[in-house]
Amino acid sequence: FTKALLDHPVSGQGLPTYGTDILVNILNEAGGLPTRNFTYGQFDGHESISGETMHDTIVARGGKPKHGCHPGCVIQCSQVYNDPEGAYLTSGFEYETIWGLGANDCITDLDDIARADSLMDDLGLDSIETAVAFGVAMEAGILPWGDGKEVIRILREEIGKGTPLGRVIGSGAGAVGRTYGITRVPVVKNQAIPAYDPRSVKGIGITYC
């Protein structure tokens, strides 16, 4: 994985240009991009959610591809992501969130992921835990794989309003697995595993252990 990162043709342009989402294509090449609730390590739709695609979308819509998340930051890997009409949608649109809703939940529409990211910010939800919880819910048949619009609806109408379904998904991946009897629940000590498949990125697997 480290060699793939260092040898990648765009890694020299790095974080200030593509943000942390530069990792999508790099991890996909290494077979370490957890996909479909950690079933696979590569995602066929990786290009549609990549840092390169995000950068080009932001520029085309008049957003900020390079943005400091706090004063004094010299890396400036954050950004401001606008909707198709050029209005603000979300910022700090990071790799973990894009991976979780993208590859892990099989959503290929960056706008859907951005809207979900904004809603999670407003609701105070961790975007790794919640994205992985949606992956477990998809495996349970609660919503279809790749249905970004239903993710947005559940965030607004179920989690946001505290319905029974919203309480289950909002409680995290472990809670979803226990409720629906799902055995593929990617958690360590009941906390969702982040965006590096330990079967390929073995160092982080040791950390999980």
Side-chain angles (χ1 to χ4, degrees):
F1 166 67
T2 303
K3 185 176 187 302
L5 178 61
L6 293 174
D7 292 346
H8 196 275
V10 299
S11 62
Q13 301 172 64
L15 294 175
T17 302
Y18 297 109
T20 59
D21 197 33
I22 191 177
L23 289 170
V24 164
N25 282 339
I26 295 171
L27 264 296
N28 192 73
E29 287 179 19
L33 187 70
T35 298
R36 199 179 174 97
N37 191 33
F38 280 77
T39 303
Y40 312 108
Q42 291 182 310
F43 180 44
D44 287 343
H46 64 96
E47 287 289 356
S48 63
I49 62 168
S50 69
E52 295 87 335
T53 297
M54 182 182 70
H55 171 272
D56 292 348
T57 302
I58 290 171
V59 170
R61 296 177 179 180
K64 293 181 180 179
K66 182 177 179 180
H67 174 68
C69 65
H70 65 86
C73 176
V74 297
I75 300 175
Q76 305 244 328
C77 66
S78 185
Q79 65 296 112
V80 175
Y81 187 95
N82 290 343
D83 67 16
E85 286 71 47
Y88 173 86
L89 187 51
T90 195
S91 60
F93 198 24
E94 304 298 338
Y95 165 65
E96 297 277 2
T97 306
I98 294 169
W99 152 76
L101 293 170
N104 197 54
D105 296 350
C106 301
I107 298 170
T108 57
D109 189 327
L110 266 179
D111 288 347
D112 284 348
I113 298 172
R115 288 187 177 90
D117 178 59
S118 181
L119 284 166
M120 286 188 282
D121 286 347
D122 288 346
L123 292 168
L125 295 170
D126 180 77
S127 60
I128 298 175
E129 186 70 50
T130 307
V132 174
F134 272 112
V136 179
M138 288 173 177
E139 186 149 310
I142 304 307
L143 69 164
W145 291 104
D147 193 341
K149 301 295 189 297
E150 182 64 2
V151 166
I152 292 167
R153 188 200 69 78
I154 290 174
L155 285 167
R156 283 179 176 153
E157 302 298 325
E158 307 288 350
I159 298 177
K161 295 181 179 179
T163 68
L165 175 60
R167 287 174 183 267
V168 170
I169 296 178
S171 293
V176 177
R178 289 191 298 274
T179 300
Y180 296 105
I182 300 302
T183 56
R184 185 190 299 278
V185 184
V187 295
V188 173
K189 296 182 178 179
N190 205 44
Q191 183 175 4
I193 294 176
Y196 309 89
D197 195 313
R199 292 164 293 195
S200 297
V201 189
K202 297 187 185 304
I204 204 165
I206 294 170
T207 303
Y208 295 153
C209 291

